[in-house]
Amino acid sequence: QVRLVESGGGLVQAGGSLRLSCAASGRTLSSLSMGWFRQAPGKEREFVAAMSRSGLTTDYTDSVKGRFTISRDNAKNTVYLQMNSLKPEDTAVYYCAADSDAYYSGSTSRMYDYWGQGTQVTVSS
């Protein structure tokens, strides 16, 4: 059983930055591949970023490449999403997800085993 708790969301002006955190408990972070997803009102959940449990493989959706960075600190059992040059289109609830099996789930949301409750990110123009 893994529990994920997101934090760091808030209101920011376009062009600004936020750093989201996802604290994991129940399993060591080194045993988990991790992903970030987001969902805007009235829209489907979409993939944002993912990292393999080794930390050597990362993936991003095209709309955030060059602006967002996923990272992990295994000593703190925490995954981060650094978001720079934020746009109003980035406004959504951001969710952290974990995959506990031996395979890297990447952008496929249904492959993740555990999900956090989400943190709201609002970007004003």
Side-chain angles (χ1 to χ4, degrees):
Q1 184 69 30
V2 176
R3 184 175 182 235
L4 305 174
V5 180
E6 302 97 334
S7 62
L11 176 64
V12 64
Q13 292 183 357
S17 298
L18 285 173
R19 191 188 196 194
L20 305 183
S21 298
C22 174
S25 60
R27 298 278 289 274
T28 58
L29 194 64
S30 61
S31 70
L32 301 167
S33 58
M34 303 296 296
W36 286 96
F37 296 79
R38 66 187 181 187
Q39 187 168 22
K43 296 185 177 180
E44 297 291 329
R45 179 177 56 192
E46 68 171 337
F47 168 73
V48 177
M51 175 175 280
S52 64
R53 61 185 185 179
S54 70
L56 298 178
T57 301
T58 58
D59 292 287
Y60 300 91
T61 191
D62 286 345
S63 64
V64 308
K65 287 180 179 177
R67 300 190 297 121
F68 291 10
T69 303
I70 186 172
S71 63
R72 64 168 67 208
D73 186 338
N74 287 341
K76 296 181 178 179
N77 246 41
T78 300
V79 173
Y80 304 96
L81 184 68
Q82 179 67 47
M83 305 186 295
N84 298 327
S85 301
L86 283 162
K87 304 175 181 179
E89 304 93 272
D90 296 317
T91 295
V93 177
Y94 283 70
Y95 297 93
C96 179
D99 175 16
S100 62
D101 63 26
Y103 302 99
Y104 174 52
S105 295
S107 63
T108 307
S109 63
R110 66 181 179 87
M111 299 302 295
Y112 288 88
D113 301 313
Y114 306 100
W115 294 82
Q117 294 300 307
T119 185
Q120 176 71 49
V121 172
T122 303
V123 184
S124 62
S125 60

